[in-house]
């Protein structure tokens, strides 16, 4: 490996290094600091603004990996600190009393100390006072009326700074932070906004639904004289609640189970003859008459035993069907839309939670004695806690050490620097190699360098999108983002063309007239490479700093002129050599064409940068309104919504979630609680992707959620529960447990390639339970039983999801791979048909389709491994190595076809109009033989390769395979020499162009050589098939 220190200015060289990961081949370019480098001498001595040094890369790799790991650790530690800090109001008794007042755990602490046995109602907050007589309600404290307020006084009650609804949803903040925070600030901001939007949409839906049905499904069971006992309770949170019982023992059990949250009375009535109230009972002063009146009303209603009496008389006929339609319809809209994953997840989870409560006859819309202010409703509490959690998630990424580069703009800068230095290294080494006179091992180094370029479009696009959120495209950051995004687009195109360079380097034989030809073009070739590198570096600096000042304008203009001059000089030297259209110099011409195309693209980029500076578009940001409009159009685009793969994704998740929602609504035995939303809410956070059965992902879901539910129980009950609820020691211990738990599993989420999803689920589902407070009056047996039932219900939900996924996606990963392979073959066939018809726009379109299918294949190959399958099944093990080698060869073939498209079309034409090159070729008589040769090789591969990868039996005969000697003969492109001869004769009438990329003779040579390479690649694919068939012992009916 080499390290180049690129001096982007004479005074301030930016010292960087290229580091290629040994296993993943991912390229990193962190800053090189405090490393001792020994400068080389001779030809590698300092040249202009560039110099080559020798660096201890073993040590640098170790230090680089340590730096990345430490960066992830600090972000994970920051997440743990903020979660533990903002969870304090939930699990600290003293802070809970300060924030939420006398509720739940705090009321028990104040009962003895303050001589108060009252719980603040749901809508109460701040300083409250009990009426002096008859003590029937709490009222806000008024200094003029009530005098000084004393929290130790029996009549003065502290109800906290926030209503009780916020206490119930406070752990939501911690869970939202886990699901939202990511490695960079911009990505976290993007995920945060998506989560808030989804939550707001779910709340808005409920507000509209509540406007039509103000009480929801609130209902009371029908009470008749046939019931032996009736348990009646009233609370400010649930309102009236009736529970018939057949025995007195059952009645007292239900009496004891009545929640004390906001309770204002509970009593057991004996039905039948006297219908009297049984002692003991408790009814708040002033509510005795309300109980008598309500008891008289419910016993006088005309209904049948077991029937629900809805408060809204029209709810059974209109409201209930509307609710089911809303549940299913809104859920499907979330899934079928092309909204971001976080928007869909949080929107669905809160929608299902709200709707289950809305349809619960025991809850409906909690109103107490009358409508509550919106500030104290569940919808407002959920929305505000979600916004708070999103803000904290963003803050966590900003509270890391300054040297941690965790912003998207920094990641984008590193990506760009990596590409620039990789491209520089590859072209410098390739020019040096072609300037030689014999094959050397350097060609393998160049091949490794090209293979080592790790361009992941999705990551680059994610960094571009995320950096928008870091500054909303304002100021210098916005300018840097726009410039670097443009540079990334050009760099990606250049890197795709490098696969053609790799083929030219590997196939060059250095025979024939190579030495004589290179002696004429070597000087201009080296000069063009150096000038283009210099131009690329100046563009790189302008994009990195986001400013194009006058000095950079001059540098860009000078560099552009130098590149154009060198390109013309290379073309003139090429023409002086007067190369003939023949196979001898085809590789050299292909390489020079690619070099000129690279320099031309860099010139276009530099001109566009200057144009952005000149017309002021560099400082023009996309307006918020336009961004929202584009987002809405993309979200509800019919072509994207109803794409077959997305429809499968929506239906698969919709079916599984609706099944568990029905189970939660109707089932009330075993591990299922009535009207429980745990199962559908859990599945809404565990969306399944379409495209084959993902056994490993399903196992990871089960492991992550199960551990997330179980580990907190062990930690809390075995460590924290042994301490006093109000002790500082308990609070500190629980905070440390939360800090360690979250930091460890978030670090696993950030720093593991295989277990990252498991770490995320454990942290997210575990933190919700870890931040719950101490239940002083809770029965541990009841608590354990409830958590066991919840765990069982979640496991059932995940199993249902897995079963639905298997049924709705009957294809295995290998079947998906074979389908993608068939699609690739179909695209290649269409591309060849368009090629033989000289239809350049269609040829370009099908080549792009082939690139897309090739990307799908590269993603699918690892998942086809037998190790990731649940059972081996009836089919032989998938040939992962064989498939990988085949995909690599296909990648080279598609790259060659892309070069044909470049050579055949008019440069920089958005419609990909033909330049007449293919028409010239097709008029040649030898083209028929070439057509037959290429099509024949492709047809064999098209038929045999899918058969070998989809083989369901070990003993298979591949009759289509040819003899190895026939394959080698066909791989040389039969008819190529005759075609070269015809083209040499026909091209004499064409004059030379001062741009090699526009020269007709060069373009013709490029197309023919690319077809030669394609034929050789297909021959390599067929030889690979022959080798694999021989390895597996398959019969080959070739008369052998």
């Amino acid at each position: 490996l080499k390290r180049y220190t690129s001096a982007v200015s004479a005074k301030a060289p930016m010292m960087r290094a290229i580091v290629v990961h040994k296993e993943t081949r991912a390229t990193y370019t962190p800053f090189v600091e405090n490393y001792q480098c020994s400068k080389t001498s001779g030809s590698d001595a300092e040249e202009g603004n560039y110099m080559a040094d020798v660096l201890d890369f073993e040590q640098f790799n170790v230090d680089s990996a340590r730096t990345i790991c430490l960066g992830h650790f600090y972000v994970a530690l920051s997440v743990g600190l903020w979660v533990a800090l903002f969870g304090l109001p939930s699990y600290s008794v003293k802070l809970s009393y300060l924030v939420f007042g006398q509720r739940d755990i705090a009321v028990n602490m104040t009962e003895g100390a303050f001589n108060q046995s009252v719980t603040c109602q749901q809508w109460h907050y701040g300083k409250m006072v009990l009426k002096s007589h008859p003590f029937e309600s709490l009222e806000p404290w008024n200094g003029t009326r009530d005098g000084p307020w004393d929290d130790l006084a029996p009549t003065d009650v502290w109800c906290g700074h926030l209503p009780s609804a916020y206490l119930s949803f406070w752990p939501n903040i911690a869970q939202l932070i886990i699901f939202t925070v990511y490695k960079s600030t911009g990505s976290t901001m993007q995920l945060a906004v998506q989560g808030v939007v989804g939550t707001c949409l779910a709340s808005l839906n409920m507000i509209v639904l509540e406007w039509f049905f103000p009480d929801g499904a609130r209902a009371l069971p029908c009470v008749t004289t046939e019931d032996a006992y009736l348990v009646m309770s009233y609370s400010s949170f649930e309102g009236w609640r009736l529970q018939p019982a057949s025995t007195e023992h059952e009645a007292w059990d239900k009496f004891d189970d009545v929640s004390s949250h906001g309770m204002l009375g509970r009593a057991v009535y004996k039905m039948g003859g006297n219908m009297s109230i049984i002692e003991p009972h408790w009814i708040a002063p002033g509510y005795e008459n309300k109980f008598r009146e309500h008891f008289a009303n419910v016993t006088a209603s005309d209904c049948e035993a077991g029937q629900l009496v809805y408060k809204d008389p029209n709810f059974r006929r209109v409201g209930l069907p509307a609710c089911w339609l809303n549940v299913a319809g809104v859920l499907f809209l979330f899934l079928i839309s092309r909204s971001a994953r976080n928007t869909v997840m949080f929107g669905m989870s809160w929608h299902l939670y709200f709707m289950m409560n809305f349809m619960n006859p025991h809850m409906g819309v909690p109103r107490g004695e009358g409508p509550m202010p919106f500030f104290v409703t569940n919808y407002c509490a959920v929305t505000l806690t979600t916004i708070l959690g999103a803000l904290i998630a963003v803050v966590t990424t900003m509270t890391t050490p300054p040297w941690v580069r965790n912003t998207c703009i920094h990641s984008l800068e590193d990506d760009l620097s990596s590409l620039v230095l990789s491209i520089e290294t590859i072209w410098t080494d390739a020019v040096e190699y072609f300037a030689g006179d014999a094959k050397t091992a350097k060609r393998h180094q160049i091949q490794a360098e090209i293979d080592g370029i790790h361009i992941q479009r999705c990551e680059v696009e994610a960094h571009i999108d995320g950096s928008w959120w870091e500054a909303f495209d304002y100021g210098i950051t916005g300018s840097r983002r726009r410039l670097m995004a443009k540079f990334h687009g050009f760099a990606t195109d250049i890197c795709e063309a490098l696969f053609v360079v790799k083929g030219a380097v590997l196939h060059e034989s250095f025979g024939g007239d190579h030495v004589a030809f290179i002696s004429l073009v070597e000087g201009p070739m080296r000069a063009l490479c150096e000038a283009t590198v210099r131009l690329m570096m100046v563009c790189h600096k302008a994009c990195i700093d986001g400013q194009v000042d006058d000095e950079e304008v001059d540098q860009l203009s000078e560099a552009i002129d130098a590149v154009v001059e060198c390109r013309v000089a290379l073309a003139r030297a090429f023409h002086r050599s007067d190369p003939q259209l023949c196979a001898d110099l085809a590789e050299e011409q292909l390489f020079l064409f690619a070099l000129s195309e690279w320099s031309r693209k860099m010139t276009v980029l530099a001109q566009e940068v200057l144009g952005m500076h000149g017309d002021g578009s560099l400082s023009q940001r996309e307006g918020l309104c336009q961004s929202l409009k584009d987002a809405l159009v993309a979200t509800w685009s019919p072509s994207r919504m109803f794409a077959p793969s997305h429809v499968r994704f929506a239906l698969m998740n919709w079916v599984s979630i609706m099944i568990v929602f029905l189970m939660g609504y109707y089932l009330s035995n075993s591990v299922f609680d009535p009207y429980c939303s745990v199962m559908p809410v859990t599945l809404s956070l565990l969306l399944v992707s379409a495209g084959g059965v993902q056994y490993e992902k399903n196992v990871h879901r089960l492991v992550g959620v199960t551990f997330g539910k179980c580990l907190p129980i062990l930690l809390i009950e075995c460590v924290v529960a042994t301490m006093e609820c109000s002790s500082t020691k308990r609070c500190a211990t629980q905070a440390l447990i939360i800090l360690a738990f979250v930091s460890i599993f978030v670090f696993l989420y950030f720093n593991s390639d295989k277990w990252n999803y498991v770490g995320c689920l454990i942290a997210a589902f575990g933190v919700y339970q870890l931040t719950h407070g101490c239940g002083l009056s809770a029965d541990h047996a009841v608590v354990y039983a409830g958590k066991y039932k919840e765990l069982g219900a979640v496991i059932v939900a995940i199993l249902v999801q897995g079963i639905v996924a298997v049924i709705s996606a009957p294809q295995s990963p290998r079947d998906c791979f074979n389908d993608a392979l068939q699609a690739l073959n179909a695209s290649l066939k269409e591309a060849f048909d368009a090629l033989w018809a000289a239809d350049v726009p269609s040829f370009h379109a099908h080549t792009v389709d082939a690139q897309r299918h090739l990307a799908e294949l590269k993603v699918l190959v690892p998942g086809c491994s037998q190790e990731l399958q649940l059972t081996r099944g009836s089919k032989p093990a998938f040939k992962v190595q064989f498939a990988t080698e085949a995909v690599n060869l296909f990648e080279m073939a598609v790259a060659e076809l892309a070069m044909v498209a470049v050579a055949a079309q008019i440069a920089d034409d958005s419609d990909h109009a033909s330049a007449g090159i293919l028409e010239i070729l097709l008029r040649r008589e030898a083209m028929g033989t070439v057509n037959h040769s290429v099509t024949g090789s492709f047809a064999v591969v098209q038929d045999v390769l899918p058969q070998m990868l989809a083989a369901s039996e070990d003993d298979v005969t591949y009759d289509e395979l040819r003899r190895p000697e026939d394959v080698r003969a066909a791989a040389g492109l039969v008819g190529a020499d005759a075609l070269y001869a015809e083209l040499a004769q026909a091209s004499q009438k064409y004059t030379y162009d001062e741009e090699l990329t526009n020269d007709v003779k060069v373009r013709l040579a490029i197309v023919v050589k690319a077809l030669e390479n394609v034929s050789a690649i297909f021959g390599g694919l067929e030889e690979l098939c022959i080798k694999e068939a021989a390895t597996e012992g398959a019969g080959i009916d070739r008369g052998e």
Side-chain angles (χ1 to χ4, degrees):
L1 293 175
K2 288 186 176 181
R3 172 191 164 276
Y4 290 92
T5 55
S6 304
V8 295
S9 66
K11 298 180 180 179
M14 298 175 64
M15 300 177 65
R16 298 177 184 269
I18 299 176
V19 180
V20 180
H21 194 279
K22 294 179 180 179
E23 296 179 358
T24 64
R25 290 182 174 176
T27 306
Y28 303 94
T29 58
F31 286 96
V32 181
E33 297 178 359
N34 301 324
Y35 281 90
Q36 297 297 326
C37 305
S38 59
K39 190 172 295 186
T40 61
S41 58
S43 60
D44 288 332
E46 183 172 348
E47 297 180 6
N49 291 331
Y50 311 98
M51 56 185 176
D53 294 345
V54 178
L55 178 66
D56 184 357
F57 265 84
E58 287 294 331
Q59 183 61 36
F60 187 84
N61 272 319
V62 172
D63 294 343
S64 178
R66 184 184 297 115
T67 300
I68 295 172
C69 182
L70 283 176
H72 292 164
F73 171 76
Y74 280 119
V75 176
L77 184 62
S78 177
V79 174
L81 284 170
W82 283 99
V83 168
L85 178 63
F86 270 83
L88 280 171
S90 180
Y91 61 83
S92 170
V93 173
K94 296 177 181 178
L95 198 56
S96 178
Y97 173 74
L98 176 64
V99 177
F100 300 108
Q102 291 187 206
R103 312 177 197 274
D104 296 342
I105 61 174
V107 69
N108 296 281
M109 301 301 297
T110 59
E111 184 173 343
F114 303 156
N115 193 27
Q116 296 172 354
S117 58
V118 62
T119 299
C120 298
Q121 298 181 12
Q122 185 179 5
W123 58 85
H124 289 158
Y125 60 93
K127 297 177 180 179
M128 307 292 291
V129 293
L130 284 165
K131 279 187 176 181
S132 58
H133 186 76
F135 296 100
E136 67 174 58
S137 64
L138 287 170
E139 290 186 357
W141 170 76
N142 185 295
T144 304
R145 181 192 63 191
D146 303 316
W149 190 86
D150 183 5
D151 60 349
L152 298 178
T155 58
D156 295 342
V157 180
W158 171 245
C159 289
H161 294 287
L162 294 174
S164 63
Y166 292 81
L167 175 60
S168 303
F169 298 110
W170 201 257
N172 170 48
I173 296 175
Q175 190 176 58
L176 184 81
I177 293 173
I178 305 299
F179 277 122
T180 300
V181 74
Y182 202 57
K183 302 173 186 177
S184 63
T185 303
S187 299
T188 301
M189 293 180 67
Q190 189 175 17
L191 294 173
V193 172
Q194 293 166 2
V196 170
V197 170
T199 304
C200 291
L201 290 175
S203 299
L204 180 62
N205 172 69
M206 294 309 302
I207 292 171
V208 173
L209 192 63
E210 190 176 318
W211 187 76
F212 287 100
F213 307 102
D215 295 297
R218 287 180 66 189
L220 297 173
C222 179
V223 178
T224 65
T225 56
E226 298 176 2
D227 297 313
Y229 297 91
L230 174 66
V231 180
M232 186 162 63
S233 60
Y234 179 72
S235 74
S236 61
F237 181 72
E238 292 183 334
W240 292 102
R241 187 178 182 187
L242 305 179
Q243 301 181 79
S246 56
T247 64
E248 184 175 352
H249 179 73
E250 181 185 357
W252 288 119
D253 286 342
K254 293 183 176 180
F255 179 87
D256 294 334
D257 290 340
V258 173
S259 173
S260 61
H261 185 58
M263 185 175 66
L264 296 171
R266 58 179 175 174
V268 177
Y269 287 86
K270 183 178 181 181
M271 308 298 288
N274 53 8
M275 292 190 293
S276 59
I277 192 168
I278 302 177
E279 297 291 343
H281 66 276
W282 180 85
I283 299 176
Y287 282 84
E288 292 87 349
N289 291 332
K290 293 181 181 291
F291 267 74
R292 294 191 190 98
E293 293 173 2
H294 192 73
F295 180 75
N297 291 333
V298 297
T299 54
S301 61
D302 184 15
C303 60
E304 298 179 1
Q307 185 180 7
L308 289 174
V309 181
Y310 291 99
K311 187 172 183 180
D312 183 350
N314 296 320
F315 188 82
R316 183 184 300 277
R317 180 174 56 87
V318 179
L320 201 55
C323 286
W324 282 111
L325 181 63
N326 187 279
V327 170
V330 173
L331 179 64
F332 186 75
L333 284 176
F334 270 119
L335 289 168
I336 198 64
S337 73
R338 297 310 296 255
S339 301
R341 181 61 67 96
N342 249 31
T343 302
V344 175
M345 285 170 46
F346 285 99
M348 289 194 309
S349 63
W350 287 119
H351 166 65
L352 297 169
Y353 174 82
F354 289 148
M355 286 304 300
M356 186 67 81
N357 291 343
F358 190 85
M359 297 170 65
N360 184 352
H362 303 305
M363 293 186 65
V365 179
R367 291 191 179 278
E369 296 179 308
M372 293 182 292
F374 180 73
F375 176 66
V376 301
T377 61
N378 289 346
Y379 316 135
C380 183
V382 167
T383 302
L384 292 182
T385 53
T386 298
I387 293 173
L388 180 59
L391 292 174
I392 299 170
V394 174
V395 171
T396 58
T397 62
M398 298 179 178
T399 52
T400 54
W403 56 265
V404 177
R405 295 165 62 84
N406 60 346
T407 61
C408 281
I409 200 68
H410 284 150
S411 299
L412 195 58
E413 178 183 341
D414 290 342
D415 292 339
L416 186 60
S417 301
S418 174
L419 289 177
V420 166
L421 293 172
S422 298
I423 293 170
E424 175 196 355
T425 304
I426 290 168
W427 278 113
T428 303
D429 289 347
V431 167
E432 186 70 28
Y433 179 74
F434 262 92
D437 56 4
K439 283 187 176 183
T440 66
K442 194 178 186 67
R443 68 183 188 275
H444 300 300
Q445 177 186 340
I446 297 172
Q447 178 186 9
E449 290 170 352
I450 295 175
D451 291 338
I453 296 182
H454 192 65
I455 304 176
Q456 293 187 355
R457 290 181 180 270
C458 57
E459 287 191 2
V460 172
E461 291 174 359
H463 292 154
I464 293 173
D465 294 339
S467 59
W468 186 93
W469 292 96
E470 292 173 354
F472 299 101
D473 226 21
Y474 279 105
I476 191 65
T477 302
S479 299
R480 294 177 66 195
R481 172 187 170 273
R482 288 188 289 275
L483 285 172
M484 286 193 287
K486 181 174 289 294
F487 199 121
H488 264 298
F490 279 87
T492 302
D493 292 340
I494 292 169
C495 290
E496 289 177 351
L498 287 176
F499 285 101
V500 177
V501 176
K502 180 177 72 172
V505 169
L506 293 177
H507 296 148
E508 175 56 42
S509 62
F510 293 90
D513 296 330
H514 170 82
V515 175
F517 174 75
I518 288 296
S519 64
L520 296 174
V521 299
E522 179 181 357
M525 179 177 67
R526 289 182 182 273
L528 179 59
C529 179
E530 293 174 2
T532 307
V533 167
R534 190 174 296 108
L535 175 61
M536 184 172 62
M537 290 299 174
V538 176
C539 289
H540 171 247
K541 178 179 180 296
C543 293
I544 290 296
D545 60 30
Q547 296 178 353
V548 184
D549 53 28
D550 294 338
E551 181 181 356
E552 288 178 334
V553 169
D554 294 338
Q555 291 178 354
L556 284 170
S557 301
E558 293 175 3
I560 290 173
D561 295 339
V563 168
V564 172
E565 182 179 344
C566 290
R567 200 158 63 235
V568 171
L570 177 62
R572 291 174 178 173
F574 177 84
H575 298 151
R576 283 196 299 272
S577 68
D578 194 22
Q580 298 300 313
L581 266 170
C582 60
D584 181 26
L585 298 176
E587 300 293 355
E588 289 83 352
Q589 294 184 53
L590 178 61
F591 178 77
L592 293 179
F593 180 86
L595 177 63
S596 298
E597 182 67 12
W598 168 49
S599 68
R600 188 187 65 81
K601 284 184 177 293
M602 291 310 306
T603 303
V604 173
L605 171 63
Q607 291 171 343
E608 291 191 10
V609 170
L610 289 176
M612 293 175 68
H613 170 72
D615 60 19
S617 60
L618 181 60
S619 58
Q620 291 178 356
R621 58 179 298 274
E622 185 177 352
L624 181 60
C625 294
Q626 184 62 39
S627 300
L628 292 175
K629 179 182 176 181
D630 294 341
L632 286 174
V633 171
T635 300
W636 300 106
S637 170
S639 60
R640 300 181 69 229
M641 288 170 56
F642 299 107
S645 60
H646 187 67
V647 172
R648 287 196 300 271
F649 160 80
L651 290 176
M652 181 168 54
N653 287 281
W654 184 84
V655 169
S656 60
I657 293 174
M658 283 302 301
I659 289 174
V660 297
F661 188 91
L662 290 168
M663 294 171 65
Y665 185 82
Y666 286 108
L667 299 183
S668 59
N669 54 4
S670 183
V671 296
F672 307 106
D673 287 326
Y675 308 107
C676 180
S677 61
V678 170
M679 292 190 295
V681 168
T682 300
L683 291 195
S684 67
L685 300 174
L686 305 174
L687 296 179
V688 178
S689 300
V693 183
Q694 301 171 324
Y695 293 110
E696 186 181 30
K697 198 65 173 288
N698 292 335
V699 171
H700 284 182
R701 288 189 187 95
L702 187 60
V703 171
V705 176
T706 302
F707 272 77
K709 295 286 185 179
C710 292
L711 287 179
I713 298 176
L714 299 176
L715 293 172
I716 295 297
E717 297 300 329
C718 296
V719 181
V720 179
T722 59
M723 307 173 191
E724 292 291 334
C725 279
S726 58
S727 67
T728 305
K729 181 180 178 181
R730 177 190 175 106
C731 179
T733 303
Q734 191 163 353
L736 290 175
I737 288 177
I738 293 173
L739 170 62
F741 182 89
V742 172
S743 299
I744 290 172
F745 289 108
V746 169
F747 178 72
L748 179 67
Y749 171 38
F750 288 164
N751 211 53
S752 174
D753 294 329
K754 185 178 180 63
W755 301 101
N756 53 352
Y757 188 51
V758 174
C760 176
L761 294 181
I762 294 176
F765 284 93
V767 75
Y768 204 91
Q769 299 185 70
L770 285 174
T771 52
H772 276 294
C774 175
L776 291 174
S777 58
D779 186 344
H780 284 276
V782 174
V783 171
Y784 277 125
K787 291 184 177 181
Y788 176 79
K789 293 176 68 175
E790 180 182 342
L791 180 61
V794 168
I795 292 175
V796 169
I798 296 177
L799 292 177
V800 168
Q801 185 185 55
I803 293 172
V804 171
V806 170
I807 295 174
S808 60
Q811 289 185 318
S812 64
R814 65 189 297 169
D815 294 330
C816 294
F817 178 89
N818 290 327
D819 288 346
L821 181 60
Q822 296 285 7
L824 173 63
N825 286 331
S827 295
L828 289 175
K829 184 178 184 304
E830 295 290 339
F832 282 123
D833 291 342
L835 176 65
W836 311 135
D839 186 354
V840 176
S842 178
F843 175 71
H844 178 270
H846 291 301
T847 303
V848 172
D849 287 339
Q851 291 174 334
R852 178 169 53 84
H853 295 310
L854 187 64
E856 293 178 7
L857 286 173
K858 294 173 72 174
V859 173
L860 289 170
V861 168
C864 298
S865 174
Q866 195 73 36
E867 299 175 356
L868 303 179
Q869 307 307 309
L870 185 63
T871 61
R872 176 178 178 179
S874 59
K875 296 181 179 181
F878 186 79
K879 309 174 184 68
V880 177
Q881 184 63 32
F882 173 58
T884 302
E885 294 177 3
V887 169
N888 291 336
L889 289 172
F890 268 121
E891 187 174 27
M892 295 178 64
V894 172
E896 296 289 349
L897 292 179
M899 183 57 70
V900 171
V902 171
Q905 69 189 30
I906 298 176
D908 299 327
D909 189 282
S910 59
D911 296 327
H912 309 288
S914 175
I917 303 300
L918 296 185
E919 288 81 354
I920 297 174
L921 282 169
L922 293 175
R923 287 196 293 267
R924 309 281 77 81
E925 184 177 340
M927 196 63 185
T929 306
V930 170
N931 183 342
H932 179 74
S933 177
V934 174
T935 305
S937 298
F938 173 67
V940 173
V941 173
Q942 186 182 23
D943 292 337
V944 175
L945 186 61
Q947 292 181 39
M948 299 190 74
L949 290 171
S952 57
E953 300 177 1
D954 290 327
D955 188 12
V956 183
T957 301
Y958 305 108
D959 299 334
E960 297 87 347
L961 287 176
R962 297 175 290 183
R963 295 176 181 273
E965 55 271 21
D966 295 335
V967 174
R968 285 191 289 272
L973 190 63
V974 179
D977 292 337
L979 181 59
Y980 275 121
E982 288 189 55
L983 290 174
Q985 182 68 29
S987 63
Q988 291 180 357
K989 63 180 180 180
Y990 296 105
T991 59
Y992 289 117
D993 195 283
E994 290 193 347
E995 286 279 359
L996 280 182
T997 53
N998 294 331
D999 192 289
V1000 173
K1001 295 181 179 180
V1002 174
R1003 286 185 175 223
L1004 289 171
I1006 296 309
V1007 173
V1008 177
K1009 185 57 188 177
L1011 292 177
E1012 278 192 277
N1013 292 339
V1014 168
S1015 181
I1017 292 169
F1018 286 149
L1021 278 167
E1022 192 171 356
E1023 288 182 346
L1024 185 66
C1025 293
I1026 294 173
K1027 177 182 177 182
E1028 183 63 29
T1031 301
E1032 68 184 20
I1036 304 175
D1037 188 9
R1038 298 187 263 110
E1040 56 186 3

